[in-house]
Amino acid sequence: MSIEKSYNSWANQYDTNKNRTRDLDKLATIKTLSKYNFDSVLELGCGTGKNTIWLLEKAQLIIGIDFSEEMLNIAKEKIKNPKVIFEKSDLTKSWKIENEFVDLITSSLILEHIKELDFIFKQTYKKLKPNGIFFICELHPYKQYYGSKARYETENGTEELEVYTHNISEFTSVALNNGFKLIELNEWFDDELNKNELPRLISFVFQK
Ligand SMILES: C[S@@+](CC[C@H](N)C(=O)[O-])C[C@H]1O[C@@H](n2cnc3c(N)ncnc32)[C@H](O)[C@@H]1O
């Protein structure tokens, strides 16, 4: 099944399934981005708007882009706020947004579905204002080495989505090649008191 169709079928359970990756991403997003000031945000792969709700506490304008109609329908049901614009679009195609338009671009749990990081970093660089921030939070590649990937349950069994592994050095080298500076790199554990387990998530803050 294509990634888009998988998310269309996952959408009605996405917010309610047991999903430690989704929940830890929310925590990582809030803990990291609380430290930064931003008015305008572009949310890549906004899904059901899980992070949009928190971003709204700080931002005056949020553009949420996703190619899954069903994920977006849930986001639109939950968030009816004139500061938020949801758009259905494929992020692997040219982004129809003015250059140097936003202070912050966020990408949570989406890049594992995108093969070519370079295109995403190039577009992000263009759409950010000078000194703008690019926040990424992803399933840690260490987890991927052991077989973790986006998956959900259906009545016919577990549906696993198409994913790509991006090593840590790939994120940093593609970012640096595109003109970004690395400001923060963090690893997020299921149990903050037991860092001997594999970290579940990795997050980066890059600055233009
Ligand atoms: C795991 S969900 C994450 C949603 C949200 N960011 C969150 O943290 O809950 C991944 C989202 O990325 C979207 N996505 C994946 N590939 C995409 C692409 N090429 N263009 C646009 N959206 C994409 C999916 O439709 C899905 O909503």
Side-chain angles (χ1 to χ4, degrees):
M1 202 189 293
S2 72
I3 297 165
E4 183 181 345
K5 282 197 178 133
S6 294
Y7 275 105
N8 280 337
S9 104
W10 188 356
N12 67 355
Q13 3 164 352
Y14 184 83
D15 282 343
T16 49
N17 280 158
K18 181 171 189 283
N19 183 338
R20 285 190 289 180
T21 301
R22 173 202 64 208
D23 296 344
L24 190 57
D25 168 79
K26 184 173 176 184
L27 189 83
T29 301
I30 295 173
K31 274 198 175 168
T32 307
L33 293 178
S34 295
K35 303 191 290 271
Y36 297 88
N37 292 323
F38 48 84
D39 271 343
S40 46
V41 184
L42 172 60
E43 219 194 321
L44 309 181
C46 60
T48 60
K50 174 198 92 207
N51 293 335
T52 319
I53 293 170
W54 178 80
L55 289 165
L56 254 177
E57 290 180 17
K58 292 185 67 141
Q60 295 307 311
L61 170 71
I62 301 178
I63 304 169
I65 294 186
D66 204 289
F67 68 2
S68 161
E69 184 101 51
E70 296 303 329
M71 294 290 273
L72 283 175
N73 281 343
I74 290 177
K76 287 178 193 164
E77 263 306 301
K78 288 196 308 207
I79 305 167
K80 297 184 186 344
N81 187 313
K83 294 179 187 169
V84 183
I85 301 163
F86 289 115
E87 271 181 34
K88 179 174 165 8
S89 182
D90 183 346
L91 290 158
T92 62
K93 313 269 161 57
S94 207
W95 302 356
K96 294 182 193 72
I97 291 170
E98 253 178 72
N99 289 344
E100 303 207 337
F101 192 61
V102 289
D103 303 316
L104 169 69
I105 298 185
T106 69
S107 173
S108 277
L109 311 178
I110 159 168
L111 297 180
E112 73 172 316
H113 300 305
I114 296 205
K115 193 172 177 190
E116 300 297 337
L117 290 189
D118 188 66
F119 179 79
I120 300 294
F121 275 85
K122 279 200 164 49
Q123 293 286 305
T124 296
Y125 195 88
K126 278 193 201 160
K127 307 305 168 189
L128 276 176
K129 291 181 189 170
N131 303 316
I133 294 292
F134 185 22
F135 171 70
I136 294 173
C137 189
E138 280 295 318
L139 188 62
H140 202 296
Y142 298 172
K143 288 290 256 192
Q144 292 183 300
Y145 304 155
Y146 286 91
S148 285
K149 55 170 73 171
R151 57 164 71 89
Y152 64 99
E153 298 304 322
T154 72
E155 43 189 39
N156 303 318
T158 305
E159 176 75 27
E160 292 194 332
L161 280 77
E162 193 182 333
V163 291
Y164 305 94
T165 299
H166 300 297
N167 294 314
I168 299 172
S169 56
E170 185 186 351
F171 282 106
T172 52
S173 62
V174 175
L176 299 184
N177 288 342
N178 279 289
F180 284 98
K181 286 180 287 202
L182 176 64
I183 306 289
E184 282 191 52
L185 189 166
N186 289 304
E187 292 170 307
W188 302 86
F189 296 80
D190 287 331
D191 178 358
E192 274 300 303
L193 301 177
N194 179 9
K195 294 194 175 174
N196 294 321
E197 299 287 328
L198 287 181
R200 178 171 291 278
L201 300 178
I202 186 161
S203 68
F204 305 87
V205 175
F206 296 106
Q207 187 169 34
K208 178 169 173 177

